[in-house]
Amino acid sequence: MRIVICPDESDLSRQAAFLVAAAIGRSPRMVLGLAAGATPIGLYHALGRHHADGLDFSGVAVFGLDEYFGLAADHPACFRGNIQRHFLNGVNIPPSRVSWPYCRPDEDIAARCAAYERAIADAGGIDVQVLGIGVNGHLGFNEPGSSLGGRTRLVRLSATTRHANERNFPVAGDMPESAVTQGIGTILEARRLLLMASGESKAAAVEQALEGPVTSMLPASAVQLHPNVTVFLDRAAASRLRRREEYEAETDMARRLGLLNL
Ligand code: GLP
């Protein structure tokens, strides 16, 4: 696991974008897994700048990590809509290569989730999965207690998550009580994980996820089991890490060796 501590959020976004852009440069038909939420927005805008500078996204395929269940597609909190606004509108990924978990209530949701897993497999699996982390240590909408082998499924949102995300639902009562998320087992099958966190509110979850025991009670701790993880943190999100100075020294070394794009 490489942990990169960045001076601020804009540097974090820029560094993460270099990693994704390099992966696309190496493998133009790569499969990208995308988290929504506030954290990766800077990354998506930075990728738009890479596209403006000539990076071709036309071969890239996208799979969404999670989505609120039953939320109207034009609701401002809809994750698919967020990715459209902050990323897809600024790059040239064909709409036919964008897939998102099916979230309408009038369908056989278990079959839809199984089909989503098959679609990921048929695309060759996810090459780079972008992840944020919840204040309670969730990944996607895998809330504390989620199986570390879990697959894409319908889940109930925890009270903590409902509280953390209520800022995105100005009309009280609008927030769905459930969501569809890739499982931790699905996420761990991606070839590379890119976990991002910024701000003091994430510091405790980051510390537990990276330095605590691997446990379903803190689903993000499962990234410790993955062989290829890069974690981008700003200083506030890294503030509780016990090995913070070692990670900073490793980051400095990587910069000196030209392994980071500063
Ligand atoms: C949200 C989503 C996750 C996201 C995480 C952090 O509720 N389920 O996909 O990564 O929680 O969100 P944010 O980046 O807005 O803090």
Side-chain angles (χ1 to χ4, degrees):
M1 181 153 49
R2 169 173 287 166
I3 298 175
V4 182
I5 301 175
C6 302
D8 54 41
E9 204 176 338
S10 77
D11 184 62
L12 172 153
S13 301
R14 211 157 53 86
Q15 292 294 342
F18 274 120
L19 186 154
V20 176
I24 296 170
R26 277 193 306 274
S27 179
R29 292 190 67 78
M30 60 98 75
V31 180
L32 195 50
L34 296 184
T39 312
I41 288 177
L43 159 66
Y44 299 143
H45 291 173
L47 286 173
R49 293 194 290 277
H50 281 273
H51 176 58
D53 288 343
L55 184 65
D56 180 17
F57 285 72
S58 63
V60 173
V62 164
F63 285 88
L65 175 65
D66 55 0
E67 184 62 275
Y68 292 104
F69 188 65
L71 191 65
D74 60 356
H75 191 285
C78 170
F79 286 169
R80 172 72 178 77
N82 259 280
I83 295 290
Q84 187 68 45
R85 285 193 295 282
H86 292 295
F87 180 51
L88 297 171
N89 287 348
V91 296
N92 62 332
I93 297 176
S96 62
R97 291 180 66 74
V98 177
S99 307
W100 219 260
Y102 192 88
C103 274
R104 291 227 304 274
D106 59 341
E107 295 285 344
D108 179 347
I109 197 66
R112 292 282 185 175
C113 292
Y116 196 63
E117 292 272 344
R118 279 197 303 279
I120 293 172
D122 290 348
I126 290 172
D127 290 302
V128 177
Q129 175 65 58
V130 175
L131 297 165
I133 181 171
V135 289
N136 63 354
H138 73 206
L139 274 192
F141 274 128
N142 292 281
E143 301 284 30
S146 298
S147 162
L148 300 186
R151 312 303 306 191
T152 302
R153 69 203 184 286
L154 182 70
V155 295
R156 185 171 171 276
L157 301 180
S158 70
T160 315
T161 294
R162 291 176 61 80
H163 178 66
N165 290 2
E166 68 190 1
R167 67 186 188 280
N168 301 319
F169 292 87
V171 178
D174 248 13
M175 194 191 302
E177 61 178 358
S178 56
V180 173
T181 184
Q182 287 185 31
I184 296 294
T186 321
I187 292 167
L188 290 178
E189 281 176 7
R191 291 181 188 87
R192 182 167 198 169
L193 303 182
L194 195 171
L195 175 63
M196 306 173 73
S198 58
E200 171 65 30
S201 68
K202 301 292 176 71
V206 165
E207 187 267 327
Q208 291 173 65
L210 304 185
E211 297 184 333
V214 175
T215 167
S216 63
M217 293 309 288
L218 205 293
S221 64
V223 302
Q224 294 179 40
L225 300 171
H226 194 282
N228 193 352
V229 185
T230 307
V231 185
F232 289 99
L233 305 171
D234 70 357
R235 289 207 173 107
S239 60
R240 293 210 192 182
L241 290 170
R242 278 161 284 164
R243 294 190 67 248
R244 184 163 48 91
E245 288 178 9
E246 281 85 348
Y247 305 135
E248 281 170 346
E250 284 163 12
T251 304
D252 280 349
M253 187 185 77
R255 279 185 185 131
R256 276 186 277 110
L257 295 175
L259 301 175
L260 293 177
N261 289 285
L262 273 184

